[in-house]
Amino acid sequence: MIRLVPTKKQLEYVVAGSFIIAGISGVIWILIDQDPIRVANGLGFDGVYYDRILRHLAAEGGLELPIAFPYCGRVGTPWILAKVFHSHVGFFGFNLVVSVLFSATLLLATHSLWRGSLKGLTAVVAASSFLYFAPVKFTNFYPVYMDPPFLLILSFCLLLIINREYLLASAICMSGIPFREASFYLLPLFLSFYIKNAERKRAALVISLFIILAGYVTKGLILSEFDCEYQSQLFTGLFWLYRFLSEPAHVLGSLAAISLTLGPLYIVLNKEAVKHVQWNGAVMFSAAASVYCASLAIVGGSDVTRIFYSFLPLYVPLLIASFRASSLTSFALACFGWMLTNQMLHKYEQPISEGPNNDLSGFFAQFPDYAHPTIALVILVIWIILAMLRRLIEPLERHLPSE
């Protein structure tokens, strides 16, 4: 007798397959048909400064134009291009290769977390390759930036964290400081878990203080290379924290920005699913990292979406574990929500103005921290509606055969 009703497992394959095919199609379309950003002759906004650093290192001469803080501290990629590849490789080629390595490394690093779960595998593939700021996509539009090597370094850190090697992860994290100074601000997170799990707490505390001091010195030495006019990032953080606490529009935009990557948790983590999440050490670390990194993104500047995404390797274990424990309905709706909010099937639009201006169209309207508040509201409403649909549809799953 032919079974007409599909099983949950069969539908799971259909949902995952359709979503992954759509995501890959979006990436291929961007790689083939995406026009690079036209701002500053293709260098983009931050890229102007990184290009100056590259030209200075390649020519080994005086710096003709000043480099603003904090870009003057991000010398990692320009140094590699100038000193290792002797300017035979450009930002685009380097970042594209590193972006592919990041996706592959994150997939391998989390193998023990998603193994045996198609839903968990879908979470890590989508997060690393399909979302708005996934570097394998974004690099083709905005080639001169520092996030790909930073993400790759954090992927190696995650591999060590999964094995509870928090001290070694902290040392690896320090190598990210020349690419993004955010590496320094991750050290307290890593070292707090190192101290928590250490047998000799006092010795661990001393070692941790030494590593933080070494990171601070490293950061300062890099800044001195270009006579950078240092600005206190403490005051920067306090300014953006004040904005977050005082401006409803900024709160709305920040929450929507974070939801572009963690929005599925609002759908998949209902009371029943929470009970089935495997709360091992890596997932517990990831849950703490999600809160910590969201805080860093909110106080780190105006581009909350990009900053928060750049910490992806640290909170992807929580996404994997949550997807593993999700129902078929919540899994399907979470994938659909990611597709809608991250505009996975759209190309990147060119800026219609020199800077963000509460845009309703163009580049700045594609992510909520720069767009008109309406955009942020729409993104949050999408997640709310999908969560409501889950409550309506999920009870029908009991009528489907499991196998």
Side-chain angles (χ1 to χ4, degrees):
M1 182 177 178
I2 299 176
R3 177 185 287 169
L4 298 178
V5 180
T7 66
K8 289 183 181 180
K9 182 60 68 174
Q10 288 171 336
L11 289 174
E12 183 181 307
Y13 274 98
V14 170
V15 171
S18 301
F19 178 62
I20 291 175
I21 289 172
I24 292 174
S25 300
V27 172
I28 292 174
W29 185 31
I30 285 174
L31 291 175
I32 293 174
D33 200 44
Q34 176 69 54
D35 292 328
I37 191 168
R38 301 190 188 105
V39 174
N41 296 319
L43 294 175
F45 303 98
D46 302 354
V48 172
Y49 301 112
Y50 305 142
D51 182 66
R52 286 180 196 169
I53 295 174
L54 173 60
R55 291 176 183 276
H56 169 66
L57 292 172
E60 296 183 354
L63 194 64
E64 297 179 0
L65 295 172
I67 301 174
F69 180 86
Y71 313 113
C72 51
R74 301 170 185 173
V75 301
T77 299
W79 188 90
I80 292 173
L81 296 180
K83 302 301 184 181
V84 178
F85 295 110
H86 304 290
S87 299
H88 295 303
V89 176
F91 280 97
F92 173 72
F94 176 80
N95 277 336
L96 189 60
V97 170
V98 172
S99 297
V100 173
L101 289 174
F102 155 65
S103 295
T105 302
L106 190 62
L107 188 66
L108 293 173
T110 57
H111 179 258
S112 61
L113 302 178
W114 56 259
R115 182 177 53 195
S117 170
L118 180 61
K119 291 182 286 189
L121 174 62
T122 302
V124 67
V125 169
S128 64
S129 304
F130 302 157
L131 301 190
Y132 187 86
F133 276 109
V136 74
K137 290 173 52 178
F138 192 67
T139 296
N140 207 52
F141 170 68
Y142 198 108
V144 187
Y145 73 130
M146 294 291 176
D147 289 8
F150 178 67
L151 282 159
L152 179 61
I153 289 168
L154 289 189
S155 296
F156 285 113
C157 291
L158 176 63
L159 180 61
L160 295 167
I161 287 166
I162 290 174
N163 292 299
R164 298 183 179 239
E165 298 287 347
Y166 299 109
L167 182 60
L168 188 54
S170 301
I172 297 298
C173 184
M174 283 183 59
S175 68
I177 293 177
F179 298 95
R180 286 275 304 278
E181 67 281 355
S183 296
F184 173 74
Y185 299 103
L186 289 174
L187 291 178
L189 173 67
F190 291 177
L191 293 170
S192 63
F193 274 80
Y194 163 61
I195 295 170
K196 178 178 177 293
N197 289 274
E199 293 182 2
R200 300 172 61 186
K201 306 289 185 184
R202 186 172 298 178
L205 179 60
V206 172
I207 293 173
S208 298
L209 292 174
F210 175 79
I211 289 177
I212 290 176
L213 178 62
Y216 183 80
V217 171
T218 300
K219 192 156 137 326
L221 288 174
I222 292 172
L223 292 175
S224 66
E225 171 68 20
F226 294 94
D227 296 324
C228 189
E229 186 176 342
Y230 179 77
Q231 299 174 26
S232 173
Q233 288 174 296
L234 173 61
F235 290 115
T236 301
L238 291 175
F239 169 77
W240 286 107
L241 178 61
Y242 173 76
R243 279 202 62 186
F244 181 78
L245 295 175
S246 61
E247 297 183 20
H250 187 56
V251 174
L252 191 70
S254 297
L255 294 178
I258 291 169
S259 79
L260 289 185
T261 40
L262 285 191
L265 297 183
Y266 185 63
I267 297 174
V268 302
L269 278 185
N270 57 5
K271 292 181 180 179
E272 189 62 30
V274 169
K275 298 177 184 177
H276 293 91
V277 171
Q278 299 177 8
W279 295 101
N280 54 37
V283 177
M284 292 295 290
F285 171 87
S286 185
S290 300
V291 177
Y292 185 81
C293 292
S295 301
L296 286 181
I298 288 170
V299 303
S302 55
D303 45 352
V304 179
T305 308
R306 184 185 62 82
I307 295 173
F308 186 65
Y309 181 86
S310 69
F311 298 123
L312 174 73
L314 303 185
Y315 54 79
V316 79
L318 178 61
L319 282 169
I320 295 171
S322 301
F323 270 67
R324 286 192 67 135
S326 67
S327 65
L328 173 62
T329 299
S330 59
F331 171 58
L333 292 174
C335 291
F336 186 59
W338 256 347
M339 187 179 298
L340 284 179
T341 58
N342 285 268
Q343 304 180 54
M344 280 172 42
L345 303 181
H346 294 75
K347 294 191 298 182
Y348 297 101
E349 296 183 35
Q350 296 290 335
I352 59 176
S353 57
E354 292 184 3
N357 191 26
N358 280 341
D359 296 316
L360 285 167
S361 61
F363 174 68
F364 292 109
Q366 293 178 107
F367 45 104
D369 35 342
Y370 284 131
H372 191 277
T374 303
I375 303 294
L377 184 61
V378 168
I379 289 172
L380 292 175
V381 167
I382 287 173
W383 292 117
I384 292 171
I385 291 175
L386 292 176
M388 293 171 63
L389 285 175
R390 176 189 60 77
R391 296 186 183 94
L392 294 175
I393 301 172
E394 200 170 50
L396 301 177
E397 280 192 39
R398 66 171 65 99
H399 301 296
L400 293 173
S402 298
E403 300 293 340

